[in-house]
Amino acid sequence: MERSVVTSVVRECLITALQLGAGEHDVIGPQTKASDLKQWDSRAHLAFVVELEHRLGVQFDDDEVVALTSVDAVLRAVERKRG
Amino acid sequence: MSDVHEVCVPQVNVNDETVRLIRWVARDGAEIQQGDAICEIETSKANTDVVAEWPGVLLRVAAEDAVLPIGARLGWIGPTRAAVEAVAARETAAAHRVGAAVPAATPRAAALAEQQGVALEVIAAAGVRGTIKEADVQRFLAERGDLRPFAPGDAVPAMLVERFLQPRRDLSRHERAVIDSLRASTGSLLLATVETDVELTAAQQRIADAQRGGAMVTLLHVVLAASARVLRRHDSLTDVRAGQLVYRYRAMDVAFVMRTPDGRLFTPVVRGADRLDLEAIARRCHAAAIRVTRGTIEPEELEGACFTVSNITDPTLTRFSALPNRFQSSILAAAGERLEPRVKDGRIVPIPLVSMTLTYDHGLCDAVYAAAFLADLKRELEAP
């Protein structure tokens, strides 16, 4: 899967997990951090991780889950897992 | 009758007049062998097992944690469940006929006991003192756990069902477990609440710092960490009542309420939360939540907490109260963050606030004590 596709999937997962409205989708990009989005709380983080694992066919370990603080961090973690 | 035997509290120590039934080892209705341990009792000197003198099916009568006189009935053992239940019923009826004192009970308690098919004498024998109240019956039923559970439909008048209601679905196994647990907990607690507003400026700075450092810390983790530290100075909130005894937890193991993506509630426990830094708490919370969702959490990871934190971050929710979990006496509910105008340095500025509501057992501490905990927690969060 190309990085652009992975980026797109990550973006869709975040929109789903945070239940963002149509007008909020544009704020999601590679530089988006958890602190940029009020909705990115513990519940949303769990939903995000579950959605990522389901869509990308990966499984994050404990250290990785707590380190997913931005879209960029997620992309780097996914790249590491997919070799 | 000759095949059915009464199991009574043994005289282990000569000077003891009572013992406490710590726990049943054998489940109700279990087929047991002669010599099997059936329950554990606490005497004045030591804990000891009561063993079966006969093989057969066990019918448990006394409730766990009850203080019982020597010779009091613990249960029955007989060849079949039907046989022991028949003898137990005959004995109860005989006690009525010879004019044995029927325990005093409130009308609601008597009605509930009758509905559930439990004799008032059995409830009294389980350690209830004085007039039996509805809460006593509910507690007895919850502790037994093996009697017919309340079904919400039981209490709905037929007229409502015929004219206004239609069956929608059965409760799920998980919903039943949550309801049973909360009913067992709140049935014995005298619940009261206190609440306060906490300014989040400092907490948000800590969260931002942690996230910049690469750790997905949220308000839940900050509140859980602060609560655990503050609870060390207010540990009556972690006491729990059971019968005549008050217990205190040995460690600050704090649970948090989590909701799986499919809507099920769980309360995983962070062990020794008062000794962990914020990142470690965040890591453990995320890891436990993931394990719950994957179905790989171990049952013991959901047990043994002295306190629980619930955080609903919906910004439209200004405050809410939560119900303490079973074998806990208090729970903290932190609502969504909101902005309110405050005067700072002579200017009106928006300040991020969160309402926190502490639900506690008034049987163990009063509002002044509970308020002192919240005031301490507010200081900890606003100026860590």
Side-chain angles (χ1 to χ4, degrees):
Chain A
M1 196 181 289
E2 292 179 13
R3 183 181 169 94
S4 62
V5 177
V6 173
T7 303
S8 175
V9 171
V10 170
R11 187 171 177 276
E12 290 168 15
C13 290
L14 194 55
I15 288 168
T16 301
L18 272 58
Q19 300 176 338
L20 297 178
E24 301 170 294
H25 292 191
D26 291 344
V27 303
I28 308 293
Q31 303 309 314
T32 301
K33 302 186 292 294
S35 56
D36 298 332
L37 299 161
K38 292 282 183 205
Q39 298 94 326
W40 197 335
D41 59 11
S42 290
R43 184 204 60 77
H45 193 65
L46 172 64
F48 183 36
V49 172
V50 169
E51 190 74 9
L52 285 169
E53 291 185 340
H54 173 68
R55 294 281 301 274
L56 296 171
V58 297
Q59 191 165 94
F60 298 103
D61 63 30
D62 294 353
D63 290 329
E64 290 168 331
V65 169
V66 76
L68 302 177
T69 58
S70 66
V71 171
D72 185 54
V74 173
L75 292 172
R76 282 185 279 115
V78 173
E79 274 180 13
R80 278 197 303 273
K81 297 198 91 59
R82 299 170 74 91
Chain B
M1 174 75 188
S2 58
D3 294 336
V4 178
H5 306 276
E6 188 177 13
V7 183
C8 298
V9 175
Q11 182 91 55
V12 179
N13 299 320
V14 175
N15 295 326
D16 281 355
E17 294 182 352
T18 60
V19 301
R20 186 171 69 87
L21 174 54
I22 300 172
R23 67 186 182 98
W24 283 99
V25 177
R27 64 174 174 76
D28 197 42
E31 289 229 18
I32 52 177
Q33 301 300 316
Q34 187 175 12
D36 283 354
I38 55 175
C39 65
E40 186 181 7
I41 59 173
E42 178 185 81
T43 72
S44 61
K45 293 182 179 172
N47 298 347
T48 187
D49 286 341
V50 175
V51 298
E53 296 179 37
W54 314 272
V57 175
L58 173 68
L59 177 68
R60 297 172 5 185
V61 173
E64 290 184 350
D65 207 39
V67 177
L68 303 164
I70 305 301
R73 182 181 299 152
L74 289 166
W76 300 89
I77 293 175
T80 64
R81 173 110 191 179
V84 287
E85 285 183 340
V87 170
R90 275 205 303 275
E91 288 290 302
T92 302
H96 281 280
R97 282 198 299 277
V98 299
V102 177
T106 64
R108 290 171 69 95
L112 178 59
E114 184 178 4
Q115 178 199 7
Q116 296 290 339
V118 182
L120 291 170
E121 290 85 344
V122 174
I123 298 170
V128 176
R129 299 283 178 264
T131 301
I132 298 172
K133 301 178 183 62
E134 187 179 28
D136 296 324
V137 181
Q138 289 172 338
R139 189 163 46 247
F140 175 86
L141 294 168
E143 287 170 356
R144 284 280 295 262
D146 47 9
L147 295 174
R148 185 167 66 89
F150 305 96
D154 284 352
V156 178
M159 181 276 292
L160 285 180
V161 177
E162 288 165 10
R163 295 183 56 193
F164 302 108
L165 297 172
Q166 60 180 11
R168 183 173 166 227
R169 64 179 177 86
D170 287 334
L171 287 169
S172 70
R173 193 183 191 85
H174 183 78
E175 287 172 322
R176 289 276 296 275
V178 171
I179 291 167
D180 287 347
S181 175
L182 288 176
R183 191 175 57 209
S185 168
T186 56
S188 61
L189 299 182
L190 301 169
L191 295 176
T193 59
V194 289
E195 64 179 46
T196 191
D197 283 342
V198 175
E199 182 180 335
L200 288 178
T201 306
Q204 288 180 340
Q205 188 59 53
R206 294 186 69 198
I207 292 168
D209 290 345
Q211 290 185 359
R212 266 196 299 276
M216 185 58 205
V217 168
T218 69
L219 182 61
L220 169 69
H221 310 134
V222 174
V223 174
L224 192 152
S227 297
R229 285 195 299 273
V230 171
L231 276 170
R232 287 195 297 215
R233 302 190 287 272
H234 302 270
D235 49 9
S236 286
L237 287 167
T238 66
D239 287 348
V240 62
R241 293 187 288 123
Q244 304 294 313
L245 286 174
V246 175
Y247 294 89
R248 176 159 296 177
Y249 282 92
R250 296 189 175 100
M252 285 301 166
D253 300 338
V254 178
F256 63 99
V257 180
M258 64 152 292
R259 191 169 186 268
T260 60
D262 61 359
R264 292 171 296 141
L265 293 177
F266 289 88
T267 51
V269 183
V270 179
R271 304 282 173 207
D274 58 329
R275 300 181 190 285
L276 297 175
D277 63 27
L278 197 50
E279 185 178 330
I281 285 178
R283 186 177 184 280
R284 294 186 188 198
C285 288
H286 288 307
I290 291 286
R291 283 199 297 281
V292 165
T293 306
R294 289 177 183 155
T296 57
I297 194 94
E298 296 294 334
E300 55 265 29
E301 293 181 80
L302 303 169
E303 294 171 352
C306 63
F307 187 80
T308 298
V309 173
S310 179
N311 178 210
I312 299 178
T313 57
D314 184 336
T316 60
L317 180 70
T318 52
R319 63 197 70 235
F320 74 104
S321 60
L323 296 172
N325 281 311
R326 195 169 188 193
F327 306 123
Q328 294 172 36
S329 65
S330 53
I331 183 169
L332 182 74
E337 176 198 328
R338 67 185 193 278
L339 291 173
E340 284 198 0
R342 290 282 194 277
V343 176
K344 275 204 169 179
D345 302 327
R347 293 188 306 128
I348 297 176
V349 293
I351 298 292
L353 297 174
V354 64
S355 290
M356 295 198 178
T357 304
L358 176 72
T359 304
Y360 63 97
D361 180 7
H362 209 293
L364 286 172
C365 65
D366 59 27
V368 173
Y369 189 94
F373 164 79
L374 269 192
D376 218 356
L377 180 63
K378 179 181 169 77
R379 274 191 295 274
E380 178 83 14
L381 287 164
E382 292 183 346

